[in-house]
Amino acid sequence: MKKSKIIIISVFTVVFVLVLIFLVFFPALPLYFQMKRECPTINRTVEEFDFTGDISEDFKEITSCGIILKVPSDMYRKNPDSSVEIYVCGKEKNYNTVVMFYESSDVSEYNASELSYDELKSFCSYINEDVPQSLYEFQKLNLSLNTDDFNMRDKELAETFLRLAVSKEFLVGQDKCSHVYSFENNCAEGFIYEYETPKNYTEYMIEIYREGKYSTEYSVLIRAENPETAKQIIESIEITEE
């Protein structure tokens, strides 16, 4: 009995010493496990949008909220008396294609509320990136993060990473977001968020900015039964406002 107690005490002592060593040399280890638990999509990366075909010659142009794009010729405005512009085609309440425009947003007063400037600057210095000066650049930084950027030895950098990781989780870990693509076309840049829908339609939320000018965000939602139709519409998107 006495020998068993000695063995148990020895095992606990070894475990305690190992934990103490890990906490001394890797003080951010608990934060790492917290990040893995709270941010399961941390390693989801931005992908290249894979449309390589041509836009159908039967498509027509529609313009709203600072955006011009091409859609199937049989699309029509569903709600002409509303301030929200929605275009549809197909049977009533079972539309095979939907395009919804959102009013452009002034994001010139960008502020990374998750972090102080010094915290963000310190973290960007660690990963060798410029400090974001706009919402788009902050999102771009956020979406580029993965577990390789986590610093086990620096608790302050790890805490900063954790807050950024939580912010990234809100971008790509919610509402059944399955993919994030980069948008770089027609003098505009931004992101395309792909979502799963109950009817297995392809749904995309596109948030873009005029290239090099990030004070205004333009948004449009596109849902289509045929993924190629949605991709053709996305490929045609341009910003009309200077």
Side-chain angles (χ1 to χ4, degrees):
M1 188 72 176
K2 188 174 181 181
K3 189 175 181 181
S4 297
K5 282 185 177 182
I6 293 173
I7 292 172
I8 292 171
I9 292 171
S10 298
V11 169
F12 274 108
T13 301
V14 169
V15 171
F16 177 78
V17 171
L18 287 174
V19 170
L20 191 62
I21 290 172
F22 268 105
L23 290 178
V24 169
F25 288 97
F26 304 102
L29 188 61
L31 292 171
Y32 178 82
F33 289 119
Q34 181 182 348
M35 179 270 298
K36 293 289 285 184
R37 183 178 65 254
E38 296 180 2
C39 308
T41 62
I42 185 60
N43 286 321
R44 178 176 292 169
T45 57
V46 176
E47 304 168 50
E48 184 177 345
F49 194 60
D50 62 354
F51 179 75
T52 56
D54 297 319
I55 301 169
S56 174
E57 293 181 359
D58 295 334
F59 278 23
K60 65 180 181 181
E61 288 186 349
I62 55 176
T63 304
S64 181
C65 301
I67 287 176
I68 184 170
L69 48 72
K70 294 181 179 180
V71 298
S73 58
D74 57 345
M75 289 198 82
Y76 61 93
R77 187 170 175 181
K78 180 178 181 292
N79 54 344
D81 298 326
S82 172
S83 59
V84 179
E85 293 197 30
I86 302 175
Y87 290 81
V88 299
C89 63
K91 296 180 180 179
E92 184 74 23
K93 296 183 179 180
N94 192 29
Y95 305 113
N96 57 49
T97 309
V98 176
V99 174
M100 180 185 299
F101 293 94
Y102 295 83
E103 290 292 336
S104 58
S105 302
D106 181 354
V107 292
S108 56
E109 296 300 320
Y110 152 74
N111 178 27
S113 57
E114 296 87 351
L115 306 166
S116 70
Y117 180 81
D118 287 341
E119 288 173 323
L120 190 57
K121 182 179 178 181
S122 177
F123 182 78
C124 288
S125 176
Y126 166 65
I127 62 173
N128 197 29
E129 293 285 348
D130 294 332
V131 180
Q133 302 298 317
S134 67
L135 177 63
Y136 169 61
E137 291 167 320
F138 179 73
Q139 290 173 329
K140 194 172 182 179
L141 169 72
N142 218 340
L143 291 169
S144 72
L145 295 178
N146 59 62
T147 49
D148 292 340
D149 300 313
F150 190 92
N151 191 319
M152 288 281 193
R153 295 178 177 274
D154 190 313
K155 191 174 180 180
E156 288 186 6
L157 286 174
E159 288 174 345
T160 299
F161 180 92
L162 178 59
R163 275 178 280 172
L164 286 168
V166 170
S167 179
K168 179 179 179 178
E169 191 69 17
F170 279 107
L171 285 175
V172 299
Q174 307 294 316
D175 300 323
K176 298 184 178 180
C177 178
S178 55
H179 297 276
V180 182
Y181 303 98
S182 61
F183 184 100
E184 295 179 3
N185 194 28
N186 299 326
C187 298
E189 53 189 324
F191 300 106
I192 305 166
Y193 300 91
E194 181 179 325
Y195 296 94
E196 300 173 5
T197 65
K199 292 184 178 180
N200 294 322
Y201 283 18
T202 303
E203 181 173 289
Y204 297 99
M205 185 68 196
I206 298 93
E207 297 178 350
I208 58 174
Y209 309 81
R210 181 165 290 285
E211 190 175 309
K213 299 178 181 178
Y214 308 125
S215 60
T216 305
E217 181 183 83
Y218 302 87
S219 306
V220 60
L221 181 143
I222 297 168
R223 182 189 304 131
E225 185 176 10
N226 183 347
E228 285 304 303
T229 300
K231 290 179 180 181
Q232 289 182 75
I233 296 172
I234 293 171
E235 187 69 13
S236 73
I237 293 175
E238 296 183 47
I239 295 173
T240 61
E241 297 177 344
E242 291 298 330

